[in-house]
Amino acid sequence: MEIKKILTKENISKDLEDADRYLMHTYSRQPVILRKGRGMKVWGTDGKEYLDFVGGIAVNVLGHCHPKVVIAIQKQAQRLLHVSNLYYIEPQIKLAKLLCAHSFADKAFFCNSGAEANEAAIKLARKYAKEHSGQEKFEIITALNSFHGRTLATVTATGQEKFQKGFEPLMPGFKYVPFNDVNALRSAISRNTCAVMLEPIQAEGGVIIPSENYLKEVRKLCDENGLLLILDEVQTGMGRTGKLFAYEHYGITPDIMTLAKGLGGGVPIGAALATERVAASFQPGSHASTFGGNPLVCAAAIATLETILEDGLLIEHCARMGKYLINRLEQLREDYHDTIADIRGKGLLVGLEINKDGAPIVKACLEKGLLINCTAGNVLRFAPPLIVEKKEIDHMVDVLEEVLGR
């Protein structure tokens, strides 16, 4: 048994060396190789078990390897993996219908990621504006501290210099204003503005929640100035906030909405949804994606969405567990008020702001079999699968308390 453990450690060390040698260093990775997952748990190649409160960063909404998603992928893989979008694709049609039936939208475009979905939204907004308002309409206003992706256009749309550094010159046509500041937005509108692009909640920016009327005022401002409203729901969509889409909390609808992450339950798929009026600006040749909406990923997304929608129970569960999680963290703050600065979130997208670097806490939790994430340097972000239960939240908080106590 002892020899087997030594051999396993040597193999893991060799795999990590190979990773360092052959993979581009685009991520700060934790020193663990994950190979299996079920529900709320994942296991490393060394057999160690971890409770997952990262959830693939809001991707694994149904947990790891949910039976309905796995079966849907298996069946579709036996039937048809890929065909070109030059032909109609049965699961793609069904998924588009489902998404439109449960949202403000009339049309859907499918791609492979959130960045691609936002890229499509940017192109659609510009094309619509040029067709309806004139060639000078190209500028999009986004928020400081936002995050919209890593392509050249979406990293430019992202209002954080740290993601843009080294990629200059950036794409022209973007302007930034403080989030949750309607007056700043009003002042930024010019004769060139065609759209406003916002996350309903700034997730990557530290789980920043807007005031109750902010998005209503933004919607009104867009209507008064003939601007499109684009909502990036890549991280907030698919039940994450206790509603199917976060815009439902605020009593408004956008003109364009982007989705990804949780949409496929673990497979790579993104979507840009739009009203009929706006979507009409995309015609054959306007935009495309070779793998976008292929049969396999659409089958997985259908299974994911149907499971989320089933009786509305999972979304209600998410809302309850989100309140329970925030309540437990509030209890933790009573003992660690010198360390914990703020707690904020909706549903199961929750941020715990601390007054120190969060990276050592993430590492210490990993050592204790708990996966958590830190964003914005000092915000511990919790985005567990929507299936999380109270006992798992309790365990997470207990581990976090032990780590903070050290």
Side-chain angles (χ1 to χ4, degrees):
M1 180 64 74
E2 198 60 38
I3 293 175
K4 186 176 180 181
K5 284 184 180 179
I6 293 171
L7 289 173
T8 301
K9 287 180 179 179
E10 288 177 351
N11 289 338
I12 293 171
S13 178
K14 180 64 168 60
D15 287 342
L16 291 175
E17 287 175 10
D18 287 346
D20 189 55
R21 180 178 178 183
Y22 296 113
L23 294 174
M24 289 190 184
H25 297 166
T26 53
Y27 302 95
S28 296
R29 301 178 194 261
Q30 299 295 335
V32 59
I33 303 172
L34 302 177
R35 69 176 306 180
K36 187 176 79 169
R38 292 292 184 276
M40 282 292 301
K41 296 178 180 179
V42 290
W43 287 264
T45 51
D46 60 355
K48 185 174 179 178
E49 179 182 289
Y50 299 88
L51 182 63
D52 187 4
F53 267 72
V54 179
I57 309 183
V59 169
N60 302 100
V61 288
L62 301 180
H64 294 276
C65 298
H66 190 280
K68 290 184 179 179
V69 177
V70 170
I71 291 169
I73 291 172
Q74 290 172 334
K75 287 183 176 179
Q76 188 60 51
Q78 291 176 324
R79 185 179 298 121
L80 183 66
L81 281 172
H82 177 78
V83 289
S84 170
N85 276 300
L86 295 174
Y87 311 96
Y88 290 106
I89 299 170
E90 186 180 13
Q92 187 183 112
I93 298 168
K94 183 176 180 180
L95 177 59
K97 183 178 180 181
L98 267 174
L99 286 169
C100 291
H102 291 90
S103 74
F104 73 95
D106 303 304
K107 301 283 187 180
F109 170 82
F110 293 109
C111 50
N112 309 287
S113 68
E116 288 180 62
N118 285 331
E119 188 92 20
I122 290 165
K123 289 180 68 175
L124 179 56
R126 281 190 170 187
K127 194 163 190 297
Y128 174 86
K130 288 180 182 297
E131 290 176 353
H132 292 83
S133 303
Q135 292 300 306
E136 76 281 1
K137 296 287 189 180
F138 64 90
E139 191 175 77
I140 297 176
I141 300 173
T142 68
L144 292 168
N145 201 46
S146 60
F147 184 84
H148 297 292
R150 304 275 189 167
T151 66
L152 193 56
T154 57
V155 83
T156 307
T158 293
Q160 298 189 60
E161 285 187 17
K162 67 181 181 181
F163 293 113
Q164 301 169 344
K165 192 174 181 180
F167 302 111
E168 302 87 351
L170 299 175
M171 181 177 166
F174 291 91
K175 189 183 288 185
Y176 315 108
V177 297
F179 186 61
N180 206 30
D181 188 336
V182 176
N183 290 329
L185 176 59
R186 182 180 292 107
S187 299
I189 295 171
S190 73
R191 61 188 294 272
N192 301 124
T193 308
C194 72
V196 175
M197 184 176 189
L198 298 170
E199 302 156 279
I201 297 171
Q202 289 190 331
E204 195 69 31
V207 193
I208 308 301
I209 311 292
S211 61
E212 198 63 35
N213 292 321
Y214 174 63
L215 288 178
K216 278 187 178 180
E217 292 172 347
V218 171
R219 175 75 269 182
K220 183 180 178 183
L221 199 56
C222 287
D223 292 340
E224 290 172 350
N225 290 273
L227 309 178
L228 296 181
L229 176 58
I230 306 167
L231 290 185
D232 176 345
E233 294 233 26
V234 168
Q235 197 157 153
T236 58
M238 303 307 293
R240 171 61 52 189
T241 65
K243 300 279 188 183
L244 186 58
F245 306 113
Y247 73 77
E248 298 177 67
H249 288 286
Y250 301 103
I252 59 117
T253 57
D255 300 293
I256 305 171
M257 176 176 69
T258 57
L259 300 171
K261 289 195 180 290
L263 178 57
V267 301
I269 181 172
L273 306 181
T275 62
E276 179 85 48
R277 173 177 62 95
V278 175
S281 290
F282 267 1
Q283 294 296 318
S286 298
H287 196 51
S289 173
T290 297
F291 294 102
N294 73 57
L296 187 72
V297 297
C298 284
I302 290 166
T304 301
L305 183 53
E306 287 182 338
T307 303
I308 291 173
L309 291 171
E310 192 174 7
D311 301 325
L313 296 179
L314 189 58
I315 293 177
E316 291 175 9
H317 178 79
C318 170
R320 285 197 309 273
M321 291 303 100
K323 289 177 182 177
Y324 184 75
L325 172 56
I326 289 175
N327 182 57
R328 285 303 322 272
L329 293 175
E330 291 286 2
Q331 293 172 9
L332 186 65
R333 179 157 64 167
E334 292 177 7
D335 294 328
Y336 294 92
H337 54 86
D338 290 336
T339 300
I340 298 173
D342 194 19
I343 299 162
R344 50 187 180 260
K346 275 190 183 294
L348 287 169
L349 179 59
V350 176
L352 181 77
E353 183 178 344
I354 56 177
N355 58 15
K356 61 178 70 177
D357 180 17
I361 295 174
V362 172
K363 184 178 179 182
C365 287
L366 177 77
E367 292 169 357
K368 293 185 172 297
L370 172 66
L371 304 186
I372 63 171
N373 169 249
C374 179
T375 189
N378 67 327
V379 179
L380 303 180
R381 173 177 48 176
F382 306 103
L386 308 189
I387 61 171
V388 67
E389 298 288 350
K390 287 182 178 180
K391 63 180 180 180
E392 291 151 343
I393 292 173
D394 289 339
H395 178 71
M396 185 277 291
V397 174
D398 288 345
V399 172
L400 189 59
E401 183 175 16
E402 185 179 346
V403 169
L404 291 175
R406 281 163 38 186

